[in-house]
Amino acid sequence: MTPKPSKDLGVNAGAYVLNALSAEESAQFESFLAESEETRAEITELADTAVELGLSVPPIDPPASLRASILDAIATTPQLEPLPAAAEPAEGAQAIAAAPLATAPVVHLAEERARRGWYSRPLTTLVAAAAAAALLFGGGVAVTAVIKGQQMSATASSITQIQAASDFQRRTVDVSTGGQATVIWSVSLQRSALLGTDLAAPPSGKTYELWYIGKNGPTPAGTFDPTGSTTMSVMLTGKMAQGDTIGVTIEPVGGSQKPTTKPIAVITTA
Amino acid sequence: MLSVVTRDIGEVDGSTPTLSNEDLLQHVATGDRRAFAELYDRTAPRVFGLVKRLLRDHAQSEEVTQEIFLEIWQSATRYDTSKGSAIAWMLTMTHRRTVDRVRASQASRDRDTRIGIRDYVAADDSVADNVEVRIESERVKEAMMRLTELQRQAVQLAYFGGFSHSEVAAMLSVPIGTVKTRLRDGMIRLRDELGVAS
């Protein structure tokens, strides 16, 4: 969409409350709202009108399993700090930053040593996730806070989707070159993400490469460079199959088609 | 931001709650999981009904409903009664998050081309009776019928279909600017017909 002068933005009020604007237009409209009290008043009323539309949709009882799953999930999900009294409405970023990071301690859960031939034979050493891991990345918002500034919001929302999956799982291992790697995954979504803490920058001319390792050996799942930040996250590319092991190696920049070095982290998901 | 809708969801299933949804939400904000469970029981059919209306797919609807209730749990600390009823706050969040999923989902693009126009537009002559746009409330149904045909189509596609203005424009074969105008005029008309006012 071509940006329009702000005086024309009032026409977007209906589309805004119906969530029919693009993300950029919504952001632009919200800036406009800050300046226009008249449009703010209109938006309040139209948003209430949209709620009436929502209330006109026939209710459907969700399955009991969903209730159980949600009540389980909140037990380990931290709540946001209340907004400061003087807070302005349009401060989503700060609000997210205020998430209780204190609940995300760095925990060493297991030792997982890299071995030659790691991807060609079954891994027998399962890494047990300690109960405390539930707190590590317990809630979508906490994850968003952890990775804030490291990745695009698309990653954050993909991670939230994985977390919300009914078969969401996570596992954390030490990385042999330093730091820890937590993999979160959902077999039903066929997706996984790696959350890194205190990972070392790769040597010059090298990059980290991710692998899905299944029956047919390793498949490249993207590269990443944890440069200069204590936390980062990356979605693995491609589709995860049930039982896949996830590996990380250091490869020449651009990545390799097959691993050329010993893995620095191996995470089993079976 | 929301200030008008005060319908108590507890009335829907005939229960007689001693605490309002707003009270419950304030308890939830203190980490009260029993209050959350009660709030869930009262509101989940509303939330799930709207999510499923937009997404159609059952498994995805469950996932998104879970995301929404986790967000409600997390951000109950930021709910402010002066900004509107609990159900308004929750359904506003529900619509936004579900539309996010519609936009993000590859399946939704298949859905758009396969069933979008057929369900939403071809059946327009009997919009209020069309099971796909079934509206429970007589009041809302009547208000809808007061809109012009183009306003009604645009509002329904956007709210109940989760389509963006450019998708609505493509489906109705009108310019985006026209869709924006119709969405705004349509919502203003609905507001007046429904007596929603600050």
Side-chain angles (χ1 to χ4, degrees):
Chain A
M1 297 303 106
T2 309
K4 292 180 174 182
S6 66
K7 57 177 167 290
D8 294 329
L9 284 178
V11 73
N12 284 344
Y16 177 76
V17 301
L18 295 165
N19 297 312
L21 295 176
S22 68
E24 306 86 79
E25 285 175 305
S26 272
Q28 198 183 9
F29 186 77
E30 282 165 5
S31 312
F32 166 70
L33 271 184
E35 300 161 16
S36 170
E37 190 179 337
E38 187 187 344
T39 306
R40 276 204 302 279
E42 180 178 319
I43 285 295
T44 302
E45 294 180 348
L46 296 190
D48 283 344
T49 305
V51 170
E52 290 281 351
L53 295 179
L55 288 168
S56 77
V57 175
I60 301 173
D61 286 329
S65 57
L66 183 64
R67 183 183 195 274
S69 170
I70 289 172
L71 294 184
D72 274 357
I74 64 161
T76 53
T77 301
Q79 293 181 298
L80 294 169
E81 301 292 335
L83 287 177
E88 291 300 316
E91 55 147 20
Q94 290 93 321
I96 287 167
L101 284 173
T103 58
V106 174
V107 277
H108 293 246
L109 294 176
E111 296 275 312
E112 180 74 17
R113 290 298 170 217
R115 285 165 286 175
R116 184 167 295 280
W118 55 289
Y119 53 79
S120 57
R121 65 171 111 98
L123 285 148
T124 51
T125 312
L126 292 185
V127 182
L135 288 175
L136 181 52
F137 297 105
V141 172
V143 168
T144 308
V146 166
I147 66 169
K148 181 172 157 9
Q150 313 300 330
Q151 296 286 327
M152 296 174 299
S153 60
T155 304
S157 85
S158 303
I159 288 173
T160 306
Q161 282 171 19
I162 293 175
Q163 281 212 308
S166 55
D167 61 346
F168 162 68
Q169 292 188 75
R170 68 167 76 74
R171 183 160 288 157
T172 302
V173 299
D174 284 350
V175 177
S176 63
T177 52
Q180 289 80 39
T182 295
V183 169
I184 64 170
W185 71 92
S186 158
V187 171
S188 68
L189 294 178
Q190 299 182 296
R191 304 211 71 185
S192 68
L194 181 140
L195 316 174
T197 307
D198 295 327
L199 299 184
S204 174
K206 306 286 187 182
T207 187
Y208 286 73
E209 184 159 6
L210 294 153
W211 307 91
Y212 281 128
I213 304 123
K215 293 188 204 77
N216 302 320
T219 307
T223 61
F224 67 100
D225 294 294
T227 43
S229 51
T230 56
T231 60
M232 51 70 62
S233 71
V234 58
M235 294 293 300
L236 275 71
T237 60
K239 285 185 178 175
M240 177 183 181
Q242 183 153 25
D244 274 359
T245 292
I246 289 156
V248 185
T249 60
I250 292 179
E251 301 292 336
V253 165
S256 305
Q257 283 308 301
K258 294 287 175 191
T260 63
T261 60
K262 286 201 294 184
I264 58 172
V266 176
I267 301 97
T268 56
T269 70
Chain B
M1 185 209 267
L2 303 171
S3 57
V4 177
V5 180
T6 53
R7 187 171 309 172
D8 189 315
I9 205 70
E11 295 164 8
V12 169
D13 59 9
S15 69
T16 51
T18 50
L19 289 175
S20 69
N21 291 334
E22 291 71 29
D23 292 336
L24 282 177
L25 204 41
Q26 289 183 314
H27 282 280
V28 172
T30 66
D32 182 340
R33 278 145 60 183
R34 279 185 58 201
F36 180 86
E38 170 73 21
L39 186 67
Y40 176 88
D41 290 340
R42 289 190 199 176
T43 59
R46 283 285 178 207
V47 169
F48 189 61
L50 179 55
V51 170
K52 205 165 177 202
R53 179 69 191 75
L54 282 149
L55 282 178
R56 290 149 189 269
D57 178 78
H58 191 89
Q60 278 202 62
S61 298
E62 284 194 39
E63 281 171 24
V64 171
T65 299
Q66 174 148 354
E67 286 178 18
I68 290 162
F69 273 100
L70 285 181
E71 185 169 353
I72 288 166
W73 166 257
Q74 290 173 318
S75 54
T77 47
R78 309 238 166 122
Y79 168 70
D80 177 356
T81 48
S82 72
K83 291 178 182 170
S85 71
I87 193 67
W89 184 73
M90 293 170 72
L91 284 184
T92 300
M93 187 188 295
T94 297
H95 193 264
R96 185 176 304 136
R97 292 293 168 250
T98 310
V99 169
D100 285 348
R101 173 63 73 99
V102 168
R103 301 277 151 80
S105 158
Q106 178 61 48
S108 75
R109 285 188 276 281
D110 302 340
R111 178 203 68 159
D112 293 355
T113 49
R114 271 189 295 110
I115 57 178
I117 291 172
R118 186 190 71 207
D119 283 354
Y120 290 93
V121 177
D124 179 70
D125 288 345
S126 55
V127 144
D129 300 321
N130 180 351
V131 68
E132 292 295 341
V133 286
R134 209 174 117 220
I135 290 173
E136 190 180 58
S137 151
E138 280 301 319
R139 215 164 60 88
V140 171
K141 197 187 293 182
E142 280 171 20
M144 273 286 185
M145 297 315 286
R146 307 254 177 190
L147 306 189
T148 69
E149 187 178 321
L150 192 52
Q151 287 172 353
R152 188 168 61 245
Q153 288 175 337
V155 167
Q156 286 186 336
L157 287 167
Y159 191 85
F160 298 113
F163 294 102
S164 69
H165 58 47
S166 52
E167 291 169 326
V168 173
M171 293 165 86
L172 299 179
S173 302
V174 295
I176 288 175
T178 306
V179 170
K180 288 180 172 181
T181 310
R182 296 304 180 273
L183 288 177
R184 185 190 187 195
D185 294 348
M187 288 303 286
I188 288 172
R189 186 73 188 264
L190 277 180
R191 173 197 69 189
D192 295 343
E193 292 291 337
L194 292 169
V196 177
S198 291

